[in-house]
Amino acid sequence: MNIRAVAVDEAARVSEIVESCRHLEGPLLPVLHKVQAEFGFIPESAKQVIAKALNLSRAEVHGVVTFYHDFRDHPAGRHTLKLCRAEACQSMGCESLAEQIKAKLGVDWHGTTSDGAITLEPVFCLGLCAQAPAAMLDGDVYARLDEDCLGEILTEARR
Amino acid sequence: MPLVPEIDYGTPASRASEMVTLTIDGREVTVPAGTSIMRASMEAGIQVPKLCATDMVDAFGSCRLCLIEVEGRNGTPASCTTPVAAGLVVHTQTERLKAIRKGVMELYISDHPLDCLTCAANGDCELQDMAGAVGLRDVRYGYEGENHVKARSAVGEVNAQWMPKDESNPYFTYDPSKCIVCSRCVRACEEVQGTFALTIEGRGFDSRVSPGAHEAFLSSECVSCGACVQACPTATLTEKSVIEIGQPEHSVVTTCAYCGVGCSFKAEMRGEELVRMVPWKDGQANRGHSCVKGRFAYGYASHKDRILNPMIREKISDPWREVTWEEAFAHVASEFRRIQYQYGRESIGGITSSRCTNEETYLVQKLIRAGFGNNNVDTCARVCHSPTGYGLGQAFGTSAGTQNFDSVEHTDVVIVIGANPTDGHPVFGSRLKKRLRQGAKLIVIDPRRIDLVRSAHIEASYHLPLKPGTNVAVLTALAHVIVTEGLFDERFIRERCDWSEFEDWAAFVSEAQHSPEETEKFTGVPADDLRGAARLYAKGGNGAIYYGLGVTEHSQGSTTVMAIANLAMATGNIGRPGVGVNPLRGQNNVQGSCDMGSFPHELPGYRHISDDATREIFEKLWGVTLNNEPGLRIPNMLDAAVEGTFKGIYIQGEDILQSDPDTKHVSAGLAAMECVVVHDLFLNETANYAHVFLPGSTFLEKDGTFTNAERRINRVRRVMTPKNGYADWEVTQKMAQAMGLKWAYSHPSEIMDEIAATTPSFAGVSYAYLEEKGSVQWPCNEKFPNGSPIMHVDGFVRGKGKFIRTEYVATDERTGPRFPLLLTTGRILSQYNVGAQTRRTANVVWHEEDLLEIHPHDAEQRGIKDGDWVKLASRSGDTTLRALITDRVAPGVVYTTFHHPTTQANVITTDFSDWATNCPEYKVTAVQISPSNGPTEWQEEYEELSRKSRRIAGKLEAAE
């Protein structure tokens, strides 16, 4: 679990990030990406700092953050598994795969395993429709999955 | 009498001059280029179904209901986002469109409660209307699936999508279960109000309207202007008054009685009960916008504190005794006559009210001049904008602002001096912010970092945080830069002004001691910023100056006004849209009360009392001889009272004890009088010293006119019977009759006719004319039959514009070892002036007490923490209040408001005043701050006096 959030002076670091992006046209999204990369999520207090620095309202920053599912409001586990639930994957059995994985991890969608290792997220289309069902673990994509092979991948990741 | 109809064209009007002709449903329509097909249709009388479009905000194209077909084009474009083009052939109703619309509506209704009969919007719901318009008869999807409507499913499971009502705002509710996520509220908050307090959080089915970052309305950035409520097409955002009472059945257009913006409202009524106030789209000052005060804070009119019967008492220590109107009038008449017999004709006077109508003000000054036989009449403009009258009169020849509010839409550089429009004049503030977001530049000259300096999407190019009291030095330094760097407009000056006066002035401002580098030493304004600001104003395109009481309420108030006029003339920023000198007048009719001859030296229309020809007009009409010597000003009346030569006063609608400076002096003056007549809605602070109390009527209970800051004469229309029995003009008339004057006005229109007949700048004004035009800006006469939105277009009223030397003289009010800080005063959005009205509404949730703003540095030195009680002392007096630690004020400066009588901020202010007009120096007082345990002795004594003096015989103590 990312515990750096409490270790550094959050507001100061967020301000630094804002300054590093200020020259960009439409700096809000780059700022949010960097904040998420740094803290693993968008802390509530960061929204205030960003709004003030970019001369936006709290509401606007909140609206943008909540529009994108990838911006998190709390830290994820050490690894994030995104399981595709779009049409092609559904037709190839991703729904039952999802149920099996949920049972195996003991979590529902958006949940994190009790050891903090894996967070399960749904995703809608990874562009691997020809090789469905597909998933993505921390940025690496995997295709033609079944319970066994996904189980192995997860076991590997939890080590 | 029906509801005043308003057509929603769906998208804003285009300003293009090129015209385009197209065919819509077989009808030829010609509209300006850039108009949406939706608007063009509506202009042709064809209403395309719509939900997310309304003409107060730009097109958005999200509801997919306003689709149309265009011959020769593919698909079904949205009519709100598709502009017209020449020769288009548009169909708004085809089989294909009908099917799509019905399908879209079906989806909307599948996630909407079906409680229309018990819904607050029943009868005023666009969703209901559209369901009817598209012929929706059935929802095939059922209502059992995922929804935002039900708190629990049929089997009792909690519905995570459901959100409870937000009732935190005192005036409206937010019911998310009725929301169709059309974003109209979000866009109204952004585009119209400019606060950006709302957003849509989430996406897809999770999309919800969110105030702030998922906060309650009250704790969000929301300023409760009501624009979102007005924009909402459903019952999601609804006035609590509508929920409680029901839909209105008729409405009357009238004018708000709060600030000098003079917004037009529709008072929506059910019988004689006011259901809600809705800003009127055709109102030419506000263009359909409002603020929390005008829109919602009218509850004082029916507050239990309102006094409805006349009252009399012998001594101010006695309890009040309720009497009949006849007895009250007879008593006043005999007392005033007795006093005049005993102490002389000059021993009584009166104060007209900037809160009352032009007609009422005219009558009060007429009563004083014709009935009392003296010129002892003054008005509260004495303590706010009298320097504007004097300064602009000297420079331009008229005592009023030069522009209309629409002018701000054409301005490129705005200077705001000593004004805080987003709090004091919120509707103008919103219009200004809109222009700033479009790219206009802003210069703020203010000791405090007001919201305009930096808030969402606006930022001032320059903020010159001057030391209070150094206005003249800063403005002269701006002139120094403009003259020495050759930035002035020579052609304009040679054409419109006196060149030799300009040369004299130019030589004066060019002197080295006026350079920014020199003035920086005592004004605290960095020279570079000041030079930058001067260059921006002089060369940045249309330059407009807006100013408020931070300019006038100084010992050099009149000089500052002249310095502003000099700047505008030197840069050629006068006489066309987008420029000008614009005083933001504080009260609804302060312009009007000045126009109506409320000053001791002026008859209506700013004509001096010593002018024989003018006096003759009135003498003939009124059948009296008028005194040709100016009478006493308010401070002089009080001085004379303390000396024992002034014994009686009639005060209409003004609370001088709380609003005028140096409270102890005011109270001593009032206490020395033998007959103080207060004519007001409430037992105000001044009434603590009164012998006669005449109950007043509210703006909802009378006919008349108000004149706003842009000289616009707006109608005030009676929507209910006066609760006290008489409109204020009737009270004054009956008092005059009791004093033997033969007045017989049966309606305020007759008073306006008299004003028009005697006052050249109002010659063309009549109620019939106002009925036809809606409103008019004076001068309105033979020369300007349609009024004058912009003045001095072809030349100054006085002939040549006059440049006047503006030598900076430091105020005598200086900081020293005993009083090292400077106190300046101001207002806050939710409260109005002395708060007599707004304190009696739910607006107190935003501001329940006056706070002292103090810089962290000054606070730390004195061991003061946020929220501590502090004692605020000046050489005049002391009071206590709580501290608010903020860096909005500079070190060495403290700030407070004067909305609450318990604070008595004016116990602190001194009796220094403007050299020309006696306008008090509220904005600069040397003070000391120290920690405190609670109220001072004066506050406790005064509290006791108030309690005693508000006793009414036979009644429980009036609550205050």
Side-chain angles (χ1 to χ4, degrees):
Chain A
M1 198 163 152
N2 188 339
I3 52 165
R4 272 189 301 163
V6 284
V8 296
D9 184 354
E10 200 175 271
R13 184 63 197 125
V14 172
S15 298
E16 277 173 38
I17 292 172
V18 175
E19 287 315 310
S20 72
C21 297
R22 194 185 276 289
H23 61 285
L24 300 172
E25 189 185 344
L28 179 56
L29 279 178
V31 166
L32 291 173
H33 278 293
K34 283 194 174 183
V35 170
Q36 171 126 328
E38 174 106 12
F39 297 99
F41 69 111
I42 312 284
E44 195 59 38
S45 60
K47 289 188 202 166
Q48 308 260 4
V49 177
I50 296 167
K52 209 167 176 191
L54 296 181
N55 209 14
L56 302 169
S57 69
R58 299 203 287 276
E60 285 175 290
V61 177
H62 176 72
V64 172
V65 170
T66 54
F67 183 80
Y68 295 101
H69 290 156
D70 272 8
F71 290 135
R72 311 186 56 88
D73 61 3
H74 59 276
R78 285 199 302 280
H79 303 283
T80 304
L81 176 70
K82 294 183 174 177
L83 201 55
C84 182
R85 299 180 70 194
E87 290 82 348
C89 289
Q90 279 192 33
S91 71
M92 295 300 286
C94 80
E95 289 295 311
S96 66
L97 178 65
E99 290 311 311
Q100 289 155 2
I101 292 298
K102 282 200 242 173
K104 189 175 181 115
L105 296 176
V107 297
D108 201 348
W109 294 118
H110 310 290
T112 302
T113 54
S114 53
D115 61 353
I118 292 170
T119 300
L120 180 65
E121 299 277 2
V123 69
F124 287 85
C125 201
L126 293 165
L128 294 171
C129 306
Q131 295 146 288
M136 184 161 77
L137 183 72
D138 296 341
D140 294 330
V141 288
Y142 298 88
R144 297 217 171 91
L145 293 168
D146 57 26
E147 191 189 357
D148 289 346
C149 99
L150 187 53
E152 273 174 38
I153 295 165
L154 292 176
T155 313
E156 185 65 24
R158 289 177 97 154
R159 269 176 214 267
Chain B
M1 203 166 22
L3 289 162
V4 175
E6 264 182 19
I7 297 171
D8 185 352
Y9 290 94
T11 63
S14 164
R15 294 184 173 204
S17 50
E18 188 200 337
M19 300 300 278
V20 170
T21 301
L22 70 164
T23 308
I24 303 175
D25 290 344
R27 282 181 235 184
E28 278 216 340
V29 187
T30 303
V31 291
T35 303
S36 70
I37 291 181
M38 173 182 280
R39 190 178 176 101
S41 306
M42 197 64 213
E43 286 183 11
I46 303 161
Q47 194 180 357
V48 183
K50 65 177 182 61
L51 279 172
C52 76
T54 182
D55 56 12
M56 70 198 276
V57 291
D58 287 338
F60 196 53
S62 81
C63 76
R64 311 320 292 170
L65 209 59
C66 71
L67 309 183
I68 44 152
E69 287 196 85
V70 181
E71 283 184 15
R73 288 193 188 177
N74 287 331
T76 52
S79 63
C80 61
T81 52
T82 309
V84 294
L88 287 189
V89 180
V90 176
H91 299 285
T92 70
Q93 180 85 339
T94 65
E95 288 306 318
R96 185 182 179 195
L97 293 171
K98 278 158 66 178
I100 297 175
R101 285 187 193 137
K102 207 180 263 191
V104 169
M105 264 327 279
E106 200 176 352
L107 285 166
Y108 273 116
I109 301 303
S110 71
D111 187 23
H112 193 84
L114 299 175
D115 62 350
C116 289
L117 280 179
T118 52
C119 177
N122 189 8
D124 182 28
C125 175
E126 291 182 39
L127 189 68
Q128 201 178 43
D129 295 348
M130 290 307 118
V134 305
L136 184 71
R137 299 288 171 257
D138 182 27
V139 175
R140 292 165 295 170
Y141 309 109
Y143 304 94
E144 294 310 314
E146 272 201 73
N147 65 76
H148 300 96
V149 177
K150 296 173 193 143
R152 285 175 183 276
S153 71
V155 290
E157 281 174 358
V158 172
N159 176 7
Q161 297 278 8
W162 179 83
M163 280 165 65
K165 259 190 189 184
D166 173 0
E167 306 205 58
S168 60
N169 185 292
Y171 299 118
F172 61 84
T173 64
Y174 165 45
D175 183 352
S177 73
K178 297 198 164 159
C179 181
I180 58 169
V181 202
C182 62
S183 299
R184 271 160 68 157
C185 53
V186 177
R187 289 178 287 142
C189 191
E190 294 180 354
E191 294 174 31
V192 180
Q193 166 58 25
T195 296
F196 295 78
L198 302 180
T199 189
I200 302 290
E201 66 178 11
R203 60 155 66 186
F205 199 68
D206 296 330
S207 305
R208 309 309 281 272
V209 171
S210 159
H214 200 87
E215 298 160 51
F217 262 88
L218 193 63
S219 53
S220 74
E221 293 137 319
C222 169
V223 294
S224 195
C225 69
C228 55
V229 181
Q230 205 183 335
C232 182
T234 68
T236 310
L237 292 163
T238 311
E239 294 91 349
K240 287 184 176 171
S241 58
V242 172
I243 295 176
E244 196 191 308
I245 302 169
Q247 292 294 330
E249 42 80 30
H250 74 271
S251 61
V252 179
V253 173
T254 190
T255 304
C256 176
Y258 279 113
C259 78
V261 176
C263 298
S264 297
F265 277 87
K266 290 183 297 180
E268 299 201 330
M269 311 291 298
R270 178 153 281 279
E272 283 213 327
E273 184 170 25
L274 180 59
V275 177
R276 62 178 170 186
M277 297 287 279
V278 182
W280 191 39
K281 245 170 27 181
D282 290 349
Q284 292 170 68
N286 55 323
R287 302 281 174 200
H289 191 39
S290 62
C291 79
V292 61
K293 295 187 283 268
R295 178 85 154 88
F296 296 118
Y298 50 78
Y300 66 87
S302 50
H303 194 275
K304 63 175 170 42
D305 285 356
R306 219 181 127 184
I307 304 291
L308 302 175
N309 296 309
M311 302 190 298
I312 292 180
R313 59 182 172 186
E314 295 307 312
K315 303 192 299 291
I316 62 166
S317 52
D318 292 344
W320 285 104
R321 183 166 58 85
E322 289 188 349
V323 296
T324 61
W325 277 106
E326 290 66 33
E327 196 179 340
F329 293 133
H331 180 79
V332 173
S334 77
E335 275 297 283
F336 279 172
R337 287 294 176 228
R338 174 188 68 78
I339 290 169
Q340 283 194 310
Y341 180 76
Q342 207 170 333
Y343 302 99
R345 198 169 67 176
E346 299 293 326
S347 61
I348 60 172
I351 299 178
T352 71
S353 174
S354 298
R355 317 303 315 278
C356 289
T357 63
N358 284 318
E359 292 75 4
E360 286 161 348
T361 309
Y362 178 87
L363 283 197
V364 173
Q365 64 91 29
K366 179 174 173 179
L367 170 70
I368 290 159
R369 296 194 207 276
F372 296 0
N374 62 40
N375 290 314
N376 294 336
V377 53
D378 208 351
T379 184
C380 41
R382 172 69 55 215
V383 300
C384 65
H385 266 293
S386 50
T388 293
Y390 181 78
L392 295 184
Q394 292 288 309
F396 303 153
T398 49
S399 306
T402 62
Q403 309 297 113
N404 57 2
F405 285 131
D406 286 349
S407 162
V408 75
E409 293 171 11
H410 305 279
T411 192
D412 300 310
V413 181
V414 179
I415 303 187
V416 173
I417 314 175
N420 185 7
T422 51
D423 282 78
H425 302 84
V427 169
F428 169 72
S430 289
R431 298 188 68 180
L432 171 61
K433 288 207 284 189
K434 186 169 190 168
R435 182 64 194 156
L436 295 174
R437 289 197 303 277
Q438 289 166 351
K441 298 276 181 283
L442 174 67
I443 299 162
V444 174
I445 305 179
D446 200 295
R448 256 174 101 230
R449 199 180 65 234
I450 58 173
D451 285 349
L452 276 181
V453 173
R454 193 171 189 272
S455 55
H457 297 272
I458 54 155
E459 187 158 16
S461 303
Y462 295 98
H463 174 214
L464 311 182
L466 76 181
K467 251 201 166 145
T470 59
N471 289 341
V472 171
V474 169
L475 292 172
T476 308
L478 286 170
H480 175 92
V481 177
I482 288 168
V483 170
T484 55
E485 296 188 7
L487 306 173
F488 53 88
D489 184 344
E490 183 170 340
R491 202 181 53 83
F492 179 91
I493 300 164
R494 283 190 183 276
E495 208 175 284
R496 306 280 189 95
C497 307
D498 188 310
W499 182 255
S500 66
E501 276 170 0
F502 169 75
E503 282 182 316
D504 172 70
W505 173 78
F508 163 77
V509 298
S510 302
E511 290 167 13
Q513 78 265 26
H514 300 307
S515 73
E517 290 71 20
E518 283 301 310
T519 55
E520 176 178 349
K521 292 170 188 162
F522 56 92
T523 63
V525 175
D528 283 348
D529 283 359
L530 193 140
R531 283 190 182 273
R535 288 170 195 146
L536 179 61
Y537 173 67
K539 289 292 166 197
N542 283 342
I545 302 176
Y546 291 86
Y547 71 89
L549 302 180
V551 159
T552 54
E553 289 175 348
H554 287 281
S555 58
Q556 277 201 295
S558 295
T559 317
T560 315
V561 173
M562 293 175 199
I564 289 170
N566 289 339
L567 282 181
M569 288 189 290
T571 53
N573 278 318
I574 286 283
R576 61 179 191 277
V579 298
V581 173
N582 307 276
L584 294 170
R585 318 267 337 212
Q587 307 193 353
N588 53 328
N589 198 36
V590 67
Q591 181 69 52
S593 72
C594 297
D595 301 341
M596 290 300 113
S598 293
F599 288 129
H601 65 287
E602 276 171 348
L603 284 162
Y606 303 99
R607 289 164 297 168
H608 203 273
I609 190 79
S610 64
D611 180 48
D612 293 339
T614 310
R615 249 188 3 266
E616 202 185 302
I617 299 173
F618 289 98
E619 285 176 344
K620 250 191 208 150
L621 189 72
W622 296 349
V624 293
T625 310
L626 294 176
N627 188 339
N628 66 354
E629 286 286 323
L632 298 174
R633 299 167 172 184
I634 296 173
N636 307 133
M637 292 183 206
L638 293 167
D639 292 344
V642 173
E643 284 160 18
T645 57
F646 189 86
K647 291 289 184 184
I649 192 166
Y650 170 39
I651 304 173
Q652 184 178 61
E654 190 182 349
D655 193 359
I656 58 169
L657 190 81
Q658 198 183 343
S659 66
D660 285 29
D662 200 355
T663 308
K664 288 180 180 173
H665 181 64
V666 179
S667 62
L670 289 169
M673 294 187 205
E674 292 178 8
C675 184
V676 174
V677 181
V678 168
H679 183 180
D680 207 294
L681 298 175
F682 303 103
L683 280 173
N684 59 19
E685 306 309 309
T686 308
N688 289 345
Y689 294 87
H691 306 90
V692 180
F693 185 89
L694 303 175
S697 55
T698 69
F699 74 112
L700 297 166
E701 298 165 344
K702 57 197 181 190
D703 281 304
T705 56
F706 290 153
T707 308
N708 75 355
E710 43 167 11
R711 296 169 278 104
R712 184 182 302 284
I713 305 164
N714 270 316
R715 267 303 306 276
V716 179
R717 293 186 176 88
R718 174 175 147 155
V719 297
M720 57 176 78
T721 315
K723 286 192 167 50
N724 56 327
Y726 293 120
D728 294 337
W729 64 271
E730 293 175 288
V731 173
T732 307
Q733 165 156 284
K734 286 187 180 291
M735 203 162 111
Q737 288 166 344
M739 292 185 74
L741 296 168
K742 305 247 172 311
W743 292 5
Y745 301 104
S746 62
H747 190 267
S749 63
E750 295 169 13
I751 307 171
M752 181 51 86
D753 292 341
E754 182 173 323
I755 297 166
T758 53
T759 310
S761 49
F762 285 74
V765 183
S766 71
Y767 277 33
Y769 181 92
L770 291 172
E771 205 64 46
E772 181 197 326
K773 300 267 180 183
S775 65
V776 68
Q777 288 174 270
W778 67 256
C780 171
N781 46 32
E782 269 182 10
K783 206 171 153 204
F784 305 101
N786 292 317
S788 314
I790 291 168
M791 295 194 79
H792 318 296
V793 174
D794 301 314
F796 287 101
V797 169
R798 74 183 293 279
K800 292 276 186 189
K802 187 175 174 66
F803 282 93
I804 302 164
R805 284 176 173 236
T806 53
E807 185 71 69
Y808 170 63
V809 183
T811 167
D812 288 337
E813 182 66 15
R814 271 171 245 245
T815 55
R818 274 180 67 212
F819 302 107
L821 301 170
L822 283 180
L823 169 76
T824 185
T825 58
R827 295 183 186 181
I828 201 159
L829 171 68
S830 54
Q831 297 287 349
Y832 184 80
N833 210 321
V834 296
Q837 293 154 312
T838 46
R839 275 186 288 113
R840 291 181 172 95
T841 68
N843 275 26
V844 290
V845 303
W846 287 281
H847 184 77
E848 53 183 358
E849 60 181 327
D850 293 322
L851 296 171
L852 184 80
E853 291 188 9
I854 181 167
H855 190 272
H857 175 77
D858 293 326
E860 196 182 321
Q861 272 189 343
R862 290 166 176 76
I864 292 165
K865 294 188 298 300
D866 207 37
D868 279 0
W869 277 103
V870 293
K871 180 167 146 186
L872 173 65
S874 75
R875 58 192 115 239
S876 289
D878 51 28
T879 187
T880 55
L881 67 176
R882 285 181 198 277
L884 171 71
I885 297 178
T886 170
D887 63 358
R888 283 173 69 119
V889 289
V893 177
V894 293
Y895 167 91
T896 190
T897 48
F898 54 94
H899 300 307
H900 289 270
T902 45
T903 318
Q904 292 276 351
N906 282 326
V907 173
I908 307 301
T909 50
T910 62
D911 57 0
F912 290 120
S913 65
D914 178 46
W915 59 271
T917 66
N918 269 156
C919 180
E921 191 170 50
Y922 289 115
K923 299 292 181 182
V924 195
T925 312
V927 294
Q928 176 60 295
I929 315 287
S930 53
S932 158
N933 300 326
T936 62
E937 209 172 300
W938 162 265
Q939 280 171 299
E940 279 172 1
E941 279 171 18
Y942 186 79
E943 191 71 31
E944 175 64 13
L945 172 82
S946 298
R947 199 185 56 74
K948 268 196 179 157
S949 78
R950 292 202 170 109
R951 287 171 303 161
I952 300 172
K955 285 200 177 177
L956 289 174
E957 280 185 24
E960 166 68 33

